[in-house]
Amino acid sequence: MPPRIAIAPCRKMPDYVESVRLAGGDPWALVYAGDPPEAVVRSCEGLLLTGGADVDPERYGEARHPTVTDVDAARDEYEIALVRAALAADLPVLAICRGLQVVNVAAGGSLVQDIPSAVGATVPHQVPHPKDAIAHDVSIASGSRIAGLMGHAAAGGRLPVNSRHHQAVQRIASGYVVAAVAPDGVVEALERPASRFCVGVQWHPENFVESGTFLPLFAGLIAAASR
């Protein structure tokens, strides 16, 4: 039986679902009202966190920047509880874009609320179309889980990625390490070494489902969920 992978709900589910399926998992699209976090963790072998709206800065004790307008309090509450339950159970987790930010906030970290005003605009972090357009390279940390999974694709320690975000990790939560950075220093990936599998990336690997470029990230989640 393929491992059941719970997928946090978002507006654009098909690429996430298909990526899990192609990697050998059984995708389970969650519903906030019907799938309580504790019950989800007991009923699956892995968790995929998806992209979407900004995390409310109140979650990490900051006033809201004027650019933070699209927040979903119910989703924040649900996903933070889901992350905490999953990590407590050592459930394998792959977190994408907003998902990476949720993982960091759930563990006590904070976010850069607006990259252009806080970091600058020398590196394009918002290239919406086409969805798999390469925006910039990221530098992959040697010895990281991502480096091991991506292998020759990350030759030379660099990996070209797409990008659709204006927020990013700022204060890194305790127990997490940086696995990739953009040329401007923006954190592009985190890993939690103490977990069986906990990897978060700021880009959108699911959008490369047709080419399979980032299928190894999903395969890593499935492999950990199968053990």
Side-chain angles (χ1 to χ4, degrees), residues 140-201:
I140 305 294
S142 176
S144 64
R145 182 72 71 105
I146 292 173
L149 290 171
M150 293 304 301
H152 71 276
R158 304 189 73 80
L159 195 63
V161 302
N162 59 348
S163 189
R164 291 195 305 279
H165 64 107
H166 82 107
Q167 297 198 318
V169 168
Q170 185 174 61
R171 184 180 68 253
I172 299 164
S174 177
Y176 289 80
V177 296
V178 175
V181 295
D184 56 4
V186 166
V187 173
E188 290 282 338
L190 290 180
E191 298 177 359
R192 186 174 187 262
S195 291
R196 183 160 38 126
F197 185 94
C198 183
V199 172
V201 299

Side-chain angles (χ1 to χ4, degrees), residues 41-202:
V41 169
R42 291 193 300 268
S43 304
C44 68
E45 286 73 53
L47 173 64
L48 176 61
L49 295 168
T50 57
D54 295 338
V55 178
D56 193 333
E58 288 186 1
R59 298 285 175 174
Y60 45 94
E62 293 185 8
R64 190 179 297 185
H65 187 274
T67 61
V68 180
T69 56
D70 182 21
V71 297
D72 185 337
R75 183 176 180 184
D76 287 350
E77 183 175 359
Y78 180 81
E79 291 184 353
I80 287 172
L82 194 57
V83 168
R84 289 173 176 167
L87 293 179
D90 199 21
L91 194 73
V93 175
L94 176 60
I96 293 173
C97 197
R98 167 191 158 88
L100 164 64
Q101 297 166 12
V102 169
V103 166
N104 190 56
V105 170
S110 68
L111 303 179
V112 175
Q113 292 194 44
D114 183 60
I115 293 170
S117 58
V119 178
T122 58
V123 174
H125 289 283
Q126 296 190 69
V127 183
H129 305 293
K131 62 184 180 181
D132 60 351
I134 298 302
H136 57 77
D137 283 358
V138 297
S139 297
I140 305 294
S142 176
S144 64
R145 182 72 71 105
I146 292 173
L149 290 171
M150 293 304 301
H152 71 276
R158 304 189 73 80
L159 195 63
V161 302
N162 59 348
S163 189
R164 291 195 305 279
H165 64 107
H166 82 107
Q167 297 198 318
V169 168
Q170 185 174 61
R171 184 180 68 253
I172 299 164
S174 177
Y176 289 80
V177 296
V178 175
V181 295
D184 56 4
V186 166
V187 173
E188 290 282 338
L190 290 180
E191 298 177 359
R192 186 174 187 262
S195 291
R196 183 160 38 126
F197 185 94
C198 183
V199 172
V201 299
Q202 189 58 69

